[in-house]
Amino acid sequence: MFRRVRARRARRAQQQPQPTTTAPAQQTPQAGQTPSAAPMGEDGFLPQELRPPAEVAGRMMRWPQPLVIDGTVQRCPQCGVDRDWLLLNVGDRIWRRCRSGHETYEPALSGRWFDQFSGPTEAVHTTRDAGLAALGFDGTFAGTTL
């Protein structure tokens, strides 16, 4: 399936006329500002209107199926569960969290990977704990797989 998507994107890129203007110079952020990432719409990711607000500290995404990285199904080191994850993205780091509340850092995954698989923003929570509780990953459903 992904080969077809990549091939379709490559065909579209070849069919689009090349711009004749030069790209604007990279602006350096002023003191107190944080540099912004390249717009995802240009890379084939979510367009600007579907992304979370810039002031959001992190993002969360449910991952109900088993998480396979480099051919290995990832399991929770504490309780052994292998599916029904909440993936947490802060900057370029990804953590996976089971329903029991155990978190494990995933160095093999990046923010770019998260951008490829995340959908549009469905809700914005005021705190991390409020988001975990709203999605059911605060330990309330410990030992269950939904």
Side-chain angles (χ1 to χ4, degrees):
M1 179 173 101
F2 293 111
R3 276 189 229 140
R4 289 182 284 175
V5 171
R6 286 189 204 116
R8 192 177 321 131
R9 285 183 185 161
R11 282 194 305 273
R12 284 184 196 153
Q14 291 173 353
Q15 292 172 354
Q16 292 179 350
Q18 297 297 323
T20 56
T21 60
T22 59
Q26 182 93 10
Q27 295 180 358
T28 57
Q30 301 295 326
Q33 292 181 335
T34 57
S36 60
M40 290 187 292
E42 295 175 4
D43 295 335
F45 299 128
L46 291 174
Q48 181 69 34
E49 62 272 6
L50 296 179
R51 285 186 258 159
E55 63 271 2
V56 172
R59 298 179 292 163
M60 300 177 185
M61 171 178 61
R62 289 184 185 177
W63 193 268
Q65 66 268 22
L67 181 62
V68 180
I69 301 174
D70 296 329
T72 305
V73 176
Q74 301 301 306
R75 295 186 181 277
C76 177
Q78 286 88 5
C79 63
V81 71
D82 66 347
R83 64 185 74 236
D84 199 18
W85 300 105
L86 181 70
L87 300 178
L88 306 158
N89 172 234
V90 178
D92 201 34
R93 294 178 175 239
I94 307 289
W95 284 267
R96 59 184 160 91
R97 183 180 177 105
C98 67
R99 291 231 179 239
S100 297
H102 306 127
E103 283 188 22
T104 307
Y105 173 62
E106 278 300 335
L109 302 180
S110 66
R112 187 168 181 85
W113 179 92
F114 191 92
D115 290 339
Q116 287 177 332
F117 290 99
S118 66
T121 301
E122 295 175 356
V124 177
H125 305 284
T126 55
T127 64
R128 179 180 183 269
D129 292 334
L132 294 174
L135 295 170
F137 286 87
D138 59 346
T140 303
F141 298 107
T144 63
T145 306
L146 301 178

